[in-house]
Amino acid sequence: MYADGILAGVAAYTGTVNAQSSPVLIGKSPAAGDNITVFNGSIDEVAIYNYAKSATDIYNDYINSTYRALIYKDAVGYWHLDTDTNNSLSSLHNGTVNGATLATGGGIIRGAYSFDGNDNISMGNSSALNFEANSNMTLAGWVRVNPGTTTWTMASKIDTDGTGYRIVSATGNVHFNFYNE
């Protein structure tokens, strides 16, 4: 896990995660049993890669984040979230806004979508966005959390049976989780 381009922690996961049939959700996680299911703040520049980015790649993306070509090179999905929720790489996985509002000038690059804890953006379901625990992947994005918010979900792809993945923060510590329940 990296924060601001710097390695913040490493943890290994063993086991398998079945293919997910749910959509990728920005700003929400359908996982039951915890209070880390929503987001309160702004989210921008979300990307999913089907390989593990190196520490150098992640740091360079962070330093050069205003030069977009460095950020989403080889991504399977990339959503700028500056003016719309379209996938910048193709017409596949374009987003559907469910309550989030576009805040021009509120992101790391131009605009961002603002979430109040009751909304999300659904990026659809595709096998290109499914990953198993033994697969390499990178899930990246920029977040600005509203003051007082300590638990949140940036992005998730979790089925109702609990199978999937997500980036969350619990009491200020950011985690990437794989689930197979």
Side-chain angles (χ1 to χ4, degrees):
M1 176 64 76
Y2 291 80
D4 296 332
I6 307 297
L7 182 64
V10 176
Y13 179 88
T14 57
T16 60
V17 176
N18 299 325
Q20 304 88 41
S21 60
S22 62
V24 169
L25 296 176
I26 305 298
K28 182 177 181 179
S29 172
D34 63 35
N35 63 347
I36 314 171
T37 58
V38 296
F39 187 82
N40 194 342
S42 299
I43 300 176
D44 195 15
E45 308 300 322
V46 175
I48 299 176
Y49 303 84
N50 61 1
Y51 66 96
K53 294 191 99 173
S54 71
T56 301
D57 288 341
I58 290 169
Y59 182 75
N60 286 335
D61 286 352
Y62 175 72
I63 295 300
N64 299 306
S65 61
T66 57
Y67 182 61
R68 297 171 195 230
L70 290 175
I71 297 173
Y72 65 82
K73 181 180 182 262
D74 300 325
V76 293
Y78 191 91
W79 301 273
H80 288 297
L81 304 179
D82 292 335
T83 58
D84 58 38
T85 60
N86 291 339
N87 182 349
S88 299
L89 304 176
S90 72
S91 61
L92 297 174
H93 327 302
N94 287 339
T96 301
V97 178
N98 299 301
T101 57
L102 181 61
T104 57
I108 192 166
I109 302 173
R110 293 194 290 248
Y113 271 83
S114 178
F115 299 79
D116 66 8
N118 296 310
D119 36 44
N120 68 81
I121 299 173
S122 175
M123 299 308 184
N125 179 36
S126 166
S127 61
L129 304 174
N130 288 346
F131 297 93
E132 297 182 10
N134 57 353
S135 300
N136 289 323
M137 71 170 295
T138 302
L139 176 56
W142 177 90
V143 299
R144 175 176 287 150
V145 180
N146 289 343
T149 303
T150 58
T151 59
W152 47 266
T153 294
M154 182 195 89
S156 68
K157 186 168 182 18
I158 299 178
D159 285 346
T160 55
D161 68 358
T163 301
Y165 58 87
R166 69 180 179 171
I167 288 185
V168 299
S169 173
T171 61
N173 297 309
V174 180
H175 305 275
F176 180 84
N177 302 123
F178 270 113
Y179 297 97
N180 191 26
E181 296 182 11

